[in-house]
Amino acid sequence: MQRVLVTGAAGGVGTRLRRLMKGLYPQIRWSDIRQPGDLAADEEFVQADLSDMRAVETMVAGMQGIVHLGGYSIEGPWETILQANIVGTHNLFEAARKTGVERVVFASSNHTVGFYPRSRRIGTDVTLRPDSRYGVSKAFGEAVAALYAYKHGLRVTCLRIGNVAEAPADLRRMSIWLHPEDLVQLIRIGLEHPDLHYEVFYGASDNARTWWDNENAFRYGYKPKHRSEDHRDVALAAQKKLAADPIGDWYEGGPFCSDEFDGGIERAPY
Ligand SMILES: NC(=O)c1ccc[n+]([C@@H]2O[C@H](COP(=O)([O-])OP(=O)(O)OC[C@H]3O[C@@H](n4cnc5c(N)ncnc54)[C@H](O)[C@@H]3O)[C@@H](O)[C@H]2O)c1
């Protein structure tokens, strides 16, 4: 892997990766709709709106691998999600196919499966249960990723990311936390592993309270280095300050499940 494009360069994850991935590949091109405020003189940057196909083709040209982080990263109005995440992700895969990109790592989300109760342990092969329009857009991303892998031969990894941070912030995050260095390890598997065609991994560190069977990632050699239990006291103290949320506390997706929830608790899925 010589030439890698990373979208979403100005975001929270992109900003961390610009530090952690420096020098990892001979050429790394960073992209976003807005220029990162702290862009260094030696960083290649292409400004592009993902919903603009021409701009996306220019952004992708000449690249071998893509890490696709760009998009709207929380719940939002349908039109915003539609343009940034649905049109944008389709544009990205179509431009990748046209320009001969070999591999894509797609930043999916735990919100594709947010409506599984925390009492269940799930693998990557369960029926999706998105908890938001945002989660639906990531489900679309995983589907379009599979189409381009199986029909057009791209090698694609979908990372159902939990929560990227230096430490887990509360009880829910103790189960889904992903340290940025462990994220880099997963990205490298996606960009470099010789046997990989299409895979879905959970983007999670070594979390003793996990809800996910991440055997699929372990098969490819993923060995997370960071343990959420090492941050237990701070996370549990922070949890005590949060108000109870009967729907959000029951499901993996947390507040994304309780937000706009009017399904009736007696009909809530198990
Ligand atoms: N941060 C997490 O814990 C987490 C968890 C699960 C999934 N993810 C996914 O990982 C990715 C990165 O997350 P983040 O926390 O850095 O998000 P972020 O919102 O901080 O960054 C996303 C970036 O995408 C850019 N963007 C938005 N619309 C765009 C468009 N139309 N064209 C081009 N760029 C556009 C934004 O300018 C922003 O810099 C996102 O796709 C997010 O959904 C993140």
Side-chain angles (χ1 to χ4, degrees), residues 8 10-14 32-34 48-51 69-73 84 107-110 134 138 161-164:
V13 175
D32 203 290
I33 198 169
R34 59 192 168 97
D49 181 345
L50 289 159
S51 64
L69 306 172
Y72 201 76
S73 62
S108 182
S109 168
N110 68 90
Y134 165 72
K138 293 296 185 182
I161 298 173
N163 184 249
V164 179

PDB file of all heavy atoms in Angstrom, residues 8 10-14 32-34 48-51 69-73 84 107-110 134 138 161-164, ligand 1:
ATOM      1  N   GLY A   8     -12.632  13.032   5.740  1.00  0.00           N
ATOM      2  CA  GLY A   8     -13.005  13.435   7.104  1.00  0.00           C
ATOM      3  C   GLY A   8     -11.819  13.928   7.913  1.00  0.00           C
ATOM      4  O   GLY A   8     -11.787  13.833   9.148  1.00  0.00           O
ATOM      5  N   ALA A  10     -10.698  16.751   8.849  1.00  0.00           N
ATOM      6  CA  ALA A  10     -10.823  17.842   9.826  1.00  0.00           C
ATOM      7  C   ALA A  10     -11.622  17.426  11.059  1.00  0.00           C
ATOM      8  O   ALA A  10     -11.747  18.202  12.018  1.00  0.00           O
ATOM      9  CB  ALA A  10     -11.484  19.057   9.159  1.00  0.00           C
ATOM     10  N   GLY A  11     -12.174  16.216  11.041  1.00  0.00           N
ATOM     11  CA  GLY A  11     -13.025  15.774  12.147  1.00  0.00           C
ATOM     12  C   GLY A  11     -12.242  15.279  13.351  1.00  0.00           C
ATOM     13  O   GLY A  11     -11.003  15.270  13.347  1.00  0.00           O
ATOM     14  N   GLY A  12     -12.983  14.839  14.356  1.00  0.00           N
ATOM     15  CA  GLY A  12     -12.349  14.378  15.592  1.00  0.00           C
ATOM     16  C   GLY A  12     -11.437  13.190  15.355  1.00  0.00           C
ATOM     17  O   GLY A  12     -10.298  13.150  15.847  1.00  0.00           O
ATOM     18  N   VAL A  13     -11.919  12.197  14.597  1.00  0.00           N
ATOM     19  CA  VAL A  13     -11.107  11.010  14.324  1.00  0.00           C
ATOM     20  C   VAL A  13      -9.994  11.358  13.338  1.00  0.00           C
ATOM     21  O   VAL A  13      -8.831  10.993  13.540  1.00  0.00           O
ATOM     22  CB  VAL A  13     -11.986   9.853  13.789  1.00  0.00           C
ATOM     23  CG1 VAL A  13     -11.140   8.662  13.401  1.00  0.00           C
ATOM     24  CG2 VAL A  13     -13.030   9.457  14.832  1.00  0.00           C
ATOM     25  N   GLY A  14     -10.348  12.087  12.270  1.00  0.00           N
ATOM     26  CA  GLY A  14      -9.350  12.463  11.264  1.00  0.00           C
ATOM     27  C   GLY A  14      -8.187  13.237  11.869  1.00  0.00           C
ATOM     28  O   GLY A  14      -7.021  13.010  11.517  1.00  0.00           O
ATOM     29  N   ASP A  32     -11.417  16.801   3.110  1.00  0.00           N
ATOM     30  CA  ASP A  32     -12.580  17.168   3.918  1.00  0.00           C
ATOM     31  C   ASP A  32     -13.292  18.284   3.152  1.00  0.00           C
ATOM     32  O   ASP A  32     -12.726  18.888   2.241  1.00  0.00           O
ATOM     33  CB  ASP A  32     -12.156  17.668   5.312  1.00  0.00           C
ATOM     34  CG  ASP A  32     -13.272  17.542   6.358  1.00  0.00           C
ATOM     35  OD1 ASP A  32     -14.269  18.294   6.266  1.00  0.00           O
ATOM     36  OD2 ASP A  32     -13.157  16.674   7.249  1.00  0.00           O
ATOM     37  N   ILE A  33     -14.514  18.587   3.569  1.00  0.00           N
ATOM     38  CA  ILE A  33     -15.232  19.719   2.976  1.00  0.00           C
ATOM     39  C   ILE A  33     -14.634  21.041   3.483  1.00  0.00           C
ATOM     40  O   ILE A  33     -14.765  22.077   2.855  1.00  0.00           O
ATOM     41  CB  ILE A  33     -16.756  19.611   3.275  1.00  0.00           C
ATOM     42  CG1 ILE A  33     -17.569  20.483   2.324  1.00  0.00           C
ATOM     43  CG2 ILE A  33     -17.051  19.898   4.734  1.00  0.00           C
ATOM     44  CD1 ILE A  33     -19.069  20.213   2.401  1.00  0.00           C
ATOM     45  N   ARG A  34     -13.978  20.967   4.648  1.00  0.00           N
ATOM     46  CA  ARG A  34     -13.322  22.165   5.204  1.00  0.00           C
ATOM     47  C   ARG A  34     -11.871  21.827   5.522  1.00  0.00           C
ATOM     48  O   ARG A  34     -11.554  20.695   5.908  1.00  0.00           O
ATOM     49  CB  ARG A  34     -14.047  22.648   6.459  1.00  0.00           C
ATOM     50  CG  ARG A  34     -14.097  21.622   7.558  1.00  0.00           C
ATOM     51  CD  ARG A  34     -15.062  22.010   8.663  1.00  0.00           C
ATOM     52  NE  ARG A  34     -15.311  20.890   9.552  1.00  0.00           N
ATOM     53  CZ  ARG A  34     -14.703  20.665  10.702  1.00  0.00           C
ATOM     54  NH1 ARG A  34     -13.831  21.528  11.178  1.00  0.00           N
ATOM     55  NH2 ARG A  34     -14.972  19.607  11.439  1.00  0.00           N
ATOM     56  N   ALA A  48     -12.975  18.766  -0.728  1.00  0.00           N
ATOM     57  CA  ALA A  48     -14.013  18.189  -1.591  1.00  0.00           C
ATOM     58  C   ALA A  48     -15.283  17.946  -0.796  1.00  0.00           C
ATOM     59  O   ALA A  48     -15.238  17.504   0.352  1.00  0.00           O
ATOM     60  CB  ALA A  48     -13.519  16.863  -2.183  1.00  0.00           C
ATOM     61  N   ASP A  49     -16.413  18.245  -1.446  1.00  0.00           N
ATOM     62  CA  ASP A  49     -17.724  17.916  -0.882  1.00  0.00           C
ATOM     63  C   ASP A  49     -18.090  16.524  -1.406  1.00  0.00           C
ATOM     64  O   ASP A  49     -18.172  16.322  -2.625  1.00  0.00           O
ATOM     65  CB  ASP A  49     -18.744  18.967  -1.340  1.00  0.00           C
ATOM     66  CG  ASP A  49     -20.132  18.703  -0.772  1.00  0.00           C
ATOM     67  OD1 ASP A  49     -20.393  17.586  -0.266  1.00  0.00           O
ATOM     68  OD2 ASP A  49     -20.965  19.625  -0.840  1.00  0.00           O
ATOM     69  N   LEU A  50     -18.329  15.597  -0.501  1.00  0.00           N
ATOM     70  CA  LEU A  50     -18.602  14.211  -0.901  1.00  0.00           C
ATOM     71  C   LEU A  50     -19.840  14.084  -1.789  1.00  0.00           C
ATOM     72  O   LEU A  50     -19.955  13.129  -2.551  1.00  0.00           O
ATOM     73  CB  LEU A  50     -18.782  13.337   0.348  1.00  0.00           C
ATOM     74  CG  LEU A  50     -17.507  13.072   1.149  1.00  0.00           C
ATOM     75  CD1 LEU A  50     -17.830  12.661   2.576  1.00  0.00           C
ATOM     76  CD2 LEU A  50     -16.671  11.993   0.454  1.00  0.00           C
ATOM     77  N   SER A  51     -20.757  15.034  -1.695  1.00  0.00           N
ATOM     78  CA  SER A  51     -21.969  14.932  -2.509  1.00  0.00           C
ATOM     79  C   SER A  51     -21.753  15.449  -3.936  1.00  0.00           C
ATOM     80  O   SER A  51     -22.655  15.397  -4.762  1.00  0.00           O
ATOM     81  CB  SER A  51     -23.129  15.679  -1.833  1.00  0.00           C
ATOM     82  OG  SER A  51     -22.833  17.053  -1.761  1.00  0.00           O
ATOM     83  N   LEU A  69     -13.843   8.338   6.303  1.00  0.00           N
ATOM     84  CA  LEU A  69     -14.383   8.830   7.583  1.00  0.00           C
ATOM     85  C   LEU A  69     -15.357   9.985   7.375  1.00  0.00           C
ATOM     86  O   LEU A  69     -16.117  10.337   8.277  1.00  0.00           O
ATOM     87  CB  LEU A  69     -13.249   9.369   8.462  1.00  0.00           C
ATOM     88  CG  LEU A  69     -12.042   8.497   8.777  1.00  0.00           C
ATOM     89  CD1 LEU A  69     -10.980   9.326   9.489  1.00  0.00           C
ATOM     90  CD2 LEU A  69     -12.451   7.331   9.657  1.00  0.00           C
ATOM     91  N   GLY A  70     -15.294  10.628   6.230  1.00  0.00           N
ATOM     92  CA  GLY A  70     -16.052  11.875   6.012  1.00  0.00           C
ATOM     93  C   GLY A  70     -17.548  11.642   6.034  1.00  0.00           C
ATOM     94  O   GLY A  70     -18.033  10.595   5.609  1.00  0.00           O
ATOM     95  N   GLY A  71     -18.280  12.616   6.513  1.00  0.00           N
ATOM     96  CA  GLY A  71     -19.736  12.530   6.521  1.00  0.00           C
ATOM     97  C   GLY A  71     -20.309  13.185   7.756  1.00  0.00           C
ATOM     98  O   GLY A  71     -19.589  13.809   8.538  1.00  0.00           O
ATOM     99  N   TYR A  72     -21.630  13.035   7.914  1.00  0.00           N
ATOM    100  CA  TYR A  72     -22.321  13.604   9.064  1.00  0.00           C
ATOM    101  C   TYR A  72     -22.332  12.535  10.151  1.00  0.00           C
ATOM    102  O   TYR A  72     -22.864  11.449   9.948  1.00  0.00           O
ATOM    103  CB  TYR A  72     -23.735  14.031   8.660  1.00  0.00           C
ATOM    104  CG  TYR A  72     -24.305  15.054   9.596  1.00  0.00           C
ATOM    105  CD1 TYR A  72     -23.887  16.385   9.546  1.00  0.00           C
ATOM    106  CD2 TYR A  72     -25.253  14.682  10.544  1.00  0.00           C
ATOM    107  CE1 TYR A  72     -24.401  17.331  10.422  1.00  0.00           C
ATOM    108  CE2 TYR A  72     -25.776  15.633  11.426  1.00  0.00           C
ATOM    109  CZ  TYR A  72     -25.341  16.944  11.358  1.00  0.00           C
ATOM    110  OH  TYR A  72     -25.844  17.871  12.227  1.00  0.00           O
ATOM    111  N   SER A  73     -21.743  12.832  11.318  1.00  0.00           N
ATOM    112  CA  SER A  73     -21.386  11.762  12.246  1.00  0.00           C
ATOM    113  C   SER A  73     -22.322  11.609  13.438  1.00  0.00           C
ATOM    114  O   SER A  73     -22.017  10.844  14.356  1.00  0.00           O
ATOM    115  CB  SER A  73     -19.956  11.988  12.745  1.00  0.00           C
ATOM    116  OG  SER A  73     -19.893  13.207  13.443  1.00  0.00           O
ATOM    117  N   ALA A  84     -24.632  13.936   2.690  1.00  0.00           N
ATOM    118  CA  ALA A  84     -23.268  13.664   3.188  1.00  0.00           C
ATOM    119  C   ALA A  84     -22.969  12.166   3.236  1.00  0.00           C
ATOM    120  O   ALA A  84     -21.871  11.743   2.878  1.00  0.00           O
ATOM    121  CB  ALA A  84     -23.090  14.279   4.576  1.00  0.00           C
ATOM    122  N   ALA A 107     -15.832   3.778   7.604  1.00  0.00           N
ATOM    123  CA  ALA A 107     -16.193   4.025   9.006  1.00  0.00           C
ATOM    124  C   ALA A 107     -17.702   3.864   9.158  1.00  0.00           C
ATOM    125  O   ALA A 107     -18.474   4.799   8.964  1.00  0.00           O
ATOM    126  CB  ALA A 107     -15.762   5.430   9.427  1.00  0.00           C
ATOM    127  N   SER A 108     -18.125   2.626   9.488  1.00  0.00           N
ATOM    128  CA  SER A 108     -19.524   2.389   9.827  1.00  0.00           C
ATOM    129  C   SER A 108     -19.702   2.704  11.313  1.00  0.00           C
ATOM    130  O   SER A 108     -18.839   3.360  11.912  1.00  0.00           O
ATOM    131  CB  SER A 108     -19.900   0.946   9.496  1.00  0.00           C
ATOM    132  OG  SER A 108     -21.260   0.723   9.782  1.00  0.00           O
ATOM    133  N   SER A 109     -20.774   2.243  11.883  1.00  0.00           N
ATOM    134  CA  SER A 109     -21.057   2.659  13.264  1.00  0.00           C
ATOM    135  C   SER A 109     -21.817   1.595  14.038  1.00  0.00           C
ATOM    136  O   SER A 109     -22.584   0.810  13.459  1.00  0.00           O
ATOM    137  CB  SER A 109     -21.882   3.940  13.231  1.00  0.00           C
ATOM    138  OG  SER A 109     -22.401   4.215  14.513  1.00  0.00           O
ATOM    139  N   ASN A 110     -21.639   1.624  15.355  1.00  0.00           N
ATOM    140  CA  ASN A 110     -22.454   0.784  16.251  1.00  0.00           C
ATOM    141  C   ASN A 110     -23.936   1.134  16.112  1.00  0.00           C
ATOM    142  O   ASN A 110     -24.788   0.329  16.488  1.00  0.00           O
ATOM    143  CB  ASN A 110     -21.983   0.951  17.694  1.00  0.00           C
ATOM    144  CG  ASN A 110     -22.266   2.338  18.244  1.00  0.00           C
ATOM    145  OD1 ASN A 110     -23.326   2.583  18.821  1.00  0.00           O
ATOM    146  ND2 ASN A 110     -21.353   3.285  18.066  1.00  0.00           N
ATOM    147  N   TYR A 134     -29.095   8.462  10.954  1.00  0.00           N
ATOM    148  CA  TYR A 134     -27.638   8.297  10.853  1.00  0.00           C
ATOM    149  C   TYR A 134     -27.270   6.811  10.747  1.00  0.00           C
ATOM    150  O   TYR A 134     -26.490   6.403   9.871  1.00  0.00           O
ATOM    151  CB  TYR A 134     -26.992   8.947  12.084  1.00  0.00           C
ATOM    152  CG  TYR A 134     -25.552   8.565  12.310  1.00  0.00           C
ATOM    153  CD1 TYR A 134     -24.552   9.044  11.469  1.00  0.00           C
ATOM    154  CD2 TYR A 134     -25.190   7.723  13.366  1.00  0.00           C
ATOM    155  CE1 TYR A 134     -23.217   8.685  11.689  1.00  0.00           C
ATOM    156  CE2 TYR A 134     -23.873   7.377  13.588  1.00  0.00           C
ATOM    157  CZ  TYR A 134     -22.892   7.857  12.739  1.00  0.00           C
ATOM    158  OH  TYR A 134     -21.583   7.496  12.944  1.00  0.00           O
ATOM    159  N   LYS A 138     -25.414   4.500   7.682  1.00  0.00           N
ATOM    160  CA  LYS A 138     -24.243   3.627   7.823  1.00  0.00           C
ATOM    161  C   LYS A 138     -24.592   2.203   7.351  1.00  0.00           C
ATOM    162  O   LYS A 138     -23.736   1.509   6.799  1.00  0.00           O
ATOM    163  CB  LYS A 138     -23.759   3.614   9.271  1.00  0.00           C
ATOM    164  CG  LYS A 138     -23.196   4.955   9.740  1.00  0.00           C
ATOM    165  CD  LYS A 138     -21.952   5.340   8.966  1.00  0.00           C
ATOM    166  CE  LYS A 138     -21.299   6.597   9.497  1.00  0.00           C
ATOM    167  NZ  LYS A 138     -20.112   6.997   8.721  1.00  0.00           N
ATOM    168  N   ILE A 161     -17.680   1.193  14.275  1.00  0.00           N
ATOM    169  CA  ILE A 161     -16.952   1.856  15.349  1.00  0.00           C
ATOM    170  C   ILE A 161     -17.876   2.116  16.537  1.00  0.00           C
ATOM    171  O   ILE A 161     -19.033   2.530  16.368  1.00  0.00           O
ATOM    172  CB  ILE A 161     -16.351   3.187  14.831  1.00  0.00           C
ATOM    173  CG1 ILE A 161     -15.350   2.893  13.697  1.00  0.00           C
ATOM    174  CG2 ILE A 161     -15.696   3.972  15.950  1.00  0.00           C
ATOM    175  CD1 ILE A 161     -14.829   4.140  12.991  1.00  0.00           C
ATOM    176  N   GLY A 162     -17.342   1.860  17.730  1.00  0.00           N
ATOM    177  CA  GLY A 162     -18.077   2.176  18.954  1.00  0.00           C
ATOM    178  C   GLY A 162     -17.933   3.649  19.265  1.00  0.00           C
ATOM    179  O   GLY A 162     -18.696   4.482  18.781  1.00  0.00           O
ATOM    180  N   ASN A 163     -16.945   3.995  20.067  1.00  0.00           N
ATOM    181  CA  ASN A 163     -16.691   5.407  20.371  1.00  0.00           C
ATOM    182  C   ASN A 163     -15.190   5.640  20.484  1.00  0.00           C
ATOM    183  O   ASN A 163     -14.526   5.048  21.337  1.00  0.00           O
ATOM    184  CB  ASN A 163     -17.392   5.810  21.668  1.00  0.00           C
ATOM    185  CG  ASN A 163     -17.221   7.284  21.947  1.00  0.00           C
ATOM    186  OD1 ASN A 163     -16.527   7.672  22.880  1.00  0.00           O
ATOM    187  ND2 ASN A 163     -17.818   8.142  21.144  1.00  0.00           N
ATOM    188  N   VAL A 164     -14.693   6.500  19.596  1.00  0.00           N
ATOM    189  CA  VAL A 164     -13.249   6.770  19.553  1.00  0.00           C
ATOM    190  C   VAL A 164     -12.911   7.874  20.555  1.00  0.00           C
ATOM    191  O   VAL A 164     -13.460   8.977  20.485  1.00  0.00           O
ATOM    192  CB  VAL A 164     -12.813   7.216  18.137  1.00  0.00           C
ATOM    193  CG1 VAL A 164     -11.316   7.511  18.107  1.00  0.00           C
ATOM    194  CG2 VAL A 164     -13.176   6.162  17.103  1.00  0.00           C
TER     195      VAL A 164
HETATM  196  N1  LIG B   1     -16.156   9.405  16.653  1.00  0.00           N
HETATM  197  C1  LIG B   1     -16.688   8.224  16.927  1.00  0.00           C
HETATM  198  O1  LIG B   1     -16.610   7.740  18.053  1.00  0.00           O
HETATM  199  C2  LIG B   1     -17.394   7.461  15.829  1.00  0.00           C
HETATM  200  C3  LIG B   1     -18.195   6.354  16.159  1.00  0.00           C
HETATM  201  C4  LIG B   1     -18.803   5.631  15.146  1.00  0.00           C
HETATM  202  C5  LIG B   1     -18.617   6.005  13.826  1.00  0.00           C
HETATM  203  N2  LIG B   1     -17.858   7.105  13.541  1.00  0.00           N
HETATM  204  C6  LIG B   1     -17.706   7.516  12.145  1.00  0.00           C
HETATM  205  O2  LIG B   1     -16.332   7.804  11.921  1.00  0.00           O
HETATM  206  C7  LIG B   1     -16.218   8.928  11.050  1.00  0.00           C
HETATM  207  C8  LIG B   1     -15.382  10.016  11.720  1.00  0.00           C
HETATM  208  O3  LIG B   1     -16.018  10.410  12.914  1.00  0.00           O
HETATM  209  P1  LIG B   1     -15.685  11.805  13.625  1.00  0.00           P
HETATM  210  O4  LIG B   1     -16.073  11.653  15.038  1.00  0.00           O
HETATM  211  O5  LIG B   1     -14.326  12.229  13.273  1.00  0.00           O
HETATM  212  O6  LIG B   1     -16.750  12.742  12.927  1.00  0.00           O
HETATM  213  P2  LIG B   1     -16.636  14.333  12.722  1.00  0.00           P
HETATM  214  O7  LIG B   1     -18.022  14.836  12.553  1.00  0.00           O
HETATM  215  O8  LIG B   1     -15.796  14.940  13.779  1.00  0.00           O
HETATM  216  O9  LIG B   1     -15.874  14.436  11.324  1.00  0.00           O
HETATM  217  C9  LIG B   1     -16.492  14.179  10.095  1.00  0.00           C
HETATM  218  C10 LIG B   1     -15.849  15.055   9.050  1.00  0.00           C
HETATM  219  O10 LIG B   1     -16.556  14.859   7.821  1.00  0.00           O
HETATM  220  C11 LIG B   1     -16.639  16.118   7.174  1.00  0.00           C
HETATM  221  N3  LIG B   1     -17.802  16.166   6.270  1.00  0.00           N
HETATM  222  C12 LIG B   1     -19.105  16.287   6.635  1.00  0.00           C
HETATM  223  N4  LIG B   1     -19.870  16.382   5.529  1.00  0.00           N
HETATM  224  C13 LIG B   1     -19.033  16.311   4.463  1.00  0.00           C
HETATM  225  C14 LIG B   1     -19.226  16.389   3.066  1.00  0.00           C
HETATM  226  N5  LIG B   1     -20.446  16.527   2.528  1.00  0.00           N
HETATM  227  N6  LIG B   1     -18.142  16.306   2.272  1.00  0.00           N
HETATM  228  C15 LIG B   1     -16.895  16.153   2.798  1.00  0.00           C
HETATM  229  N7  LIG B   1     -16.647  16.105   4.117  1.00  0.00           N
HETATM  230  C16 LIG B   1     -17.717  16.180   4.947  1.00  0.00           C
HETATM  231  C17 LIG B   1     -16.763  17.145   8.286  1.00  0.00           C
HETATM  232  O11 LIG B   1     -16.310  18.428   7.842  1.00  0.00           O
HETATM  233  C18 LIG B   1     -15.911  16.546   9.386  1.00  0.00           C
HETATM  234  O12 LIG B   1     -14.617  17.102   9.419  1.00  0.00           O
HETATM  235  C19 LIG B   1     -17.628   9.362  10.715  1.00  0.00           C
HETATM  236  O13 LIG B   1     -18.016   8.773   9.496  1.00  0.00           O
HETATM  237  C20 LIG B   1     -18.449   8.806  11.844  1.00  0.00           C
HETATM  238  O14 LIG B   1     -19.788   8.579  11.465  1.00  0.00           O
HETATM  239  C21 LIG B   1     -17.259   7.837  14.508  1.00  0.00           C
END
